[in-house]
């Protein structure tokens, strides 16, 4: 895989203005997912960035729902575990829960208890880093489980929303990796 292949694959991410509401530029990864060779190139690049981390990674923690698509493919490629983080009410057993603030209002995320423990190291993966609120909520869930996070991994980072700075402020020392920064 060359840098050119990766650039071509990432160029399939489509900008959708004013979705889901006026003023938001939505980054639509579905054209990239629909193109088999491009999806493969992107999964290979994300897998390589995980393999390059100094620690051994036991599992990926991924966020519903686009994080699941990338996370599932990556776990298969790396032969590591997959831990799902979901919207409230979707997981059937005891959960850790994190309420967090959105631009307007609140949301919450949940993760099953007992899937992770303090001897585990994880990477949190999602498609897009915007303000950082979602990945930081996920980070709190990982911390409730006692596990350690080696990195936050994204396909794409929207630089002007300063998610990177928000993560660095709240959780100094966690590596932040994006294949593309806009
Ligand atoms: P945030 O918590 O602000 O970093 O938002 C990240 C989450 O919301 C990720 O799960 C993204 O899939 C989604 N998201 C936020 N903003 C966008 C955007 N402009 N385009 C696509 N997805 C977005």
């Amino acid at each position: 895989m060359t840098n050119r292949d990766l650039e071509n694959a990432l160029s399939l991410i489509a900008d959708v203005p004013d979705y889901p509401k006026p003023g938001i530029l939505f980054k639509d990864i579905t054209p990239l997912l629909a193109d088999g060779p491009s999806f493969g190139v992107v999964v290979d690049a994300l897998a390589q960035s995980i393999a390059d981390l100094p620690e051994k990674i036991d599992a990926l923690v991924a966020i519903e729902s686009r994080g699941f698509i990338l996370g599932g493919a990556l776990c298969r490629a790396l032969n590591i575990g997959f831990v799902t983080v979901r919207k409230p009410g979707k997981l059937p057993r005891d959960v850790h829960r994190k309420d967090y603030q959105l631009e307007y209002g609140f949301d919450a995320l949940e993760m099953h208890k007992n899937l992770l423990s303090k001897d585990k190291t994880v990477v949190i993966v999602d498609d897009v880093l915007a303000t950082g609120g979602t990945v930081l909520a996920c980070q709190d869930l990982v911390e409730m489980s006692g596990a350690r996070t080696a990195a936050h991994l994204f396909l794409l980072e929207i630089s002007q929303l300063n998610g990177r700075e928000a993560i660095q402020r709240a959780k100094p020392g966690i590596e932040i990796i994006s294949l593309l920064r806009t």
Side-chain angles (χ1 to χ4, degrees):
M1 184 226 316
T2 63
N3 281 346
R4 191 60 186 273
D5 293 333
L6 183 58
E7 273 169 32
N8 287 340
L10 293 169
S11 74
L12 294 178
I13 298 172
D15 283 350
V16 185
D18 297 320
Y19 181 87
K21 51 189 174 193
I24 305 283
L25 182 63
F26 190 83
K27 299 289 183 178
D28 176 19
I29 67 166
T30 61
L32 162 55
L33 299 176
D35 184 277
S38 297
F39 189 11
V41 162
V42 158
V43 169
D44 286 350
L46 291 168
Q48 190 58 52
S49 58
I50 295 172
D52 287 343
L53 291 169
E55 298 106 310
K56 173 182 161 290
I57 305 303
D58 300 295
L60 290 190
V61 173
I63 308 157
E64 170 175 10
S65 60
R66 276 163 286 148
F68 286 3
I69 301 167
L70 299 172
L74 281 168
C75 285
R76 191 73 287 280
L78 295 164
N79 207 27
I80 59 177
F82 186 75
V83 174
T84 61
V85 171
R86 302 208 62 185
K87 295 285 168 63
K90 303 280 190 184
L91 292 170
R93 295 187 298 105
D94 278 357
V95 292
H96 294 298
R97 177 188 171 105
K98 174 68 188 179
D99 293 278
Y100 66 106
Q101 196 159 7
L102 294 172
E103 209 172 345
Y104 305 108
F106 283 87
D107 207 343
L109 289 174
E110 294 181 342
M111 186 179 83
H112 267 145
K113 289 182 177 173
N114 305 327
L115 296 181
L116 293 173
S117 49
K118 66 175 177 0
D119 55 327
K120 302 288 187 205
T121 302
V122 305
V123 168
I124 301 174
V125 63
D126 201 2
D127 63 334
V128 172
L129 171 62
T131 65
T134 306
V135 75
L136 282 172
C138 231
Q139 174 62 32
D140 282 338
L141 291 172
V142 171
E143 289 177 15
M144 287 177 211
S145 77
R148 215 190 85 70
T149 304
H152 293 170
L153 178 64
F154 307 93
L155 211 50
L156 180 136
E157 170 178 346
I158 304 171
S159 300
Q160 69 178 35
L161 295 177
N162 298 322
R164 178 172 288 265
E165 290 71 20
I167 296 168
Q168 284 165 342
R169 232 180 359 257
K171 306 287 172 187
I174 292 181
E175 186 153 353
I176 304 162
I177 306 166
S178 314
L179 294 188
L180 180 66
R181 292 200 209 181
T182 63

